[in-house]
DNA sequence: CGGCTTACTGAGAACCGTTGTCAAAACCAT
DNA sequence: ATGGTTTTGACAACGGTTCTCAGTAAGCCG
């Protein structure tokens, strides 16, 4: 039987607070900083659980996996700030159709797609510009 | 100055023969099987080089990086068979525009996108169906 | 409430893909 | 051929993630 522990709840809550994609390690560090004694392995286990249950999305970047609390049960894509991780959920009906059609055209079945946009958000853009100016 | 060695050529050629996305380790294994004495680290270095020079594309899947020889100098996406790695290069003008527009709408700059479709190719579909039938 | 089963946790070791190190080998302009 | 430098190969090191296992604690049941 599945049990509820404060550890799982802490991870779910911290993930929600993060607002964007974060690594398991970063999440663990921030939980530790706010006084929690949760173990790293437990954070990994909780994140895996959340992902399996559709409460979180994950993506791989530079050799590590990033997680994010996501609206459950909806198919959507992400617009992610490379600098701060801030993420916007986006829908893309036309892209869904394009993907389905393209796969079918080439005889592919069971098609899934990965569609994410990485950029620098307005706020971070600002900071960068300011910094590079004398 | 950059030098040419048989090792780099061997990797380029093996990558071309692979036809789809393959891992560095798999490439190294297949080179070894065909008699080469090339070292794993060299395969990694060659693949990094090819990727930097635009001769290969790479993507991450399940914690490892996969490489593929790609038409240089063209922006394109991939339709990849989950089972055998066979890959079709696809162009997606509408998706490019959608990505650019979406990023701009949310104030994001320096936008890049990841658009890949994973499925099961016709041949593998066939094999799977045949296997599951009595 | 208290006992009991069993899932979950914590700590550290193990794992695995990848990168770094450094002496030896090989490339190539001369 | 020779010398200056890039590359290579073997192996150690690294970093993120998963495994192991003994100890802890949810939550059912009386």
């Amino acid at each position: 039987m599945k049990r509820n522990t404060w550890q799982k709840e802490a991870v779910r809550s911290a993930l929600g607070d993060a607002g964007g994609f974060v690594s398991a390690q970063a999440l663990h560090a921030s939980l530790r900083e706010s006084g929690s004694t949760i173990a790293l392995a437990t954070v990994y286990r909780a994140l895996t659980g959340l992902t399996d249950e559709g409460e979180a999305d994950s993506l791989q970047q530079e050799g590590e996996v990033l997680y994010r609390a996501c609206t459950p049960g909806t198919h959507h894509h992400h617009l992610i700030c490379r600098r701060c991780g801030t993420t916007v959920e986006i829908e893309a009906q036309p892209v869904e159709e394009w993907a389905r059609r393209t796969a079918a055209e080439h005889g592919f079945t069971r098609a899934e797609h990965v569609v994410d946009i990485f950029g620098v958000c307005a706020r971070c853009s600002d900071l960068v510009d300011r910094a590079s100016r004398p």
Side-chain angles (χ1 to χ4, degrees), chain A:
Chain A
M1 179 214 301
K2 192 166 171 300
R3 292 176 187 176
N4 294 324
T5 62
W6 64 264
Q7 286 95 333
K8 282 176 188 164
E9 198 42 54
V11 170
R12 195 201 314 273
S13 145
L15 191 61
D17 292 348
F21 279 90
V22 284
S23 69
Q25 312 245 5
L27 210 56
H28 177 240
S30 87
L31 281 162
R32 282 302 183 109
E33 265 175 39
S34 44
S36 172
T37 59
I38 193 169
L40 178 57
T42 305
V43 175
Y44 275 104
R45 286 188 280 241
L47 288 172
T48 304
L50 288 172
T51 305
D52 289 349
E53 290 154 27
E55 291 192 55
D57 282 356
S58 68
L59 62 86
Q60 297 193 282
Q61 200 188 29
E62 289 163 27
E64 64 181 4
V65 180
L66 306 182
Y67 299 88
R68 174 170 198 270
C70 275
T71 323
T74 71
H75 178 74
H76 58 256
H77 301 284
H78 296 109
L79 175 54
I80 304 142
C81 176
R82 266 195 294 271
R83 200 158 291 272
C84 68
T86 295
T87 300
V88 182
E89 292 187 2
I90 50 187
E91 291 194 19
Q93 210 50 49
V95 177
E96 310 297 330
E97 275 160 36
W98 166 83
R100 195 154 6 90
R101 184 160 30 80
T102 304
E105 270 169 18
H106 290 84
F108 277 60
T109 55
R110 292 177 260 278
E112 297 178 13
H113 54 271
V114 176
V115 174
D116 290 310
I117 308 180
F118 294 87
V120 180
C121 72
R123 171 146 52 153
C124 288
S125 264
D126 240 39
L127 293 175
V128 172
D129 289 350
R130 230 177 277 276
S132 67
R133 214 179 302 141

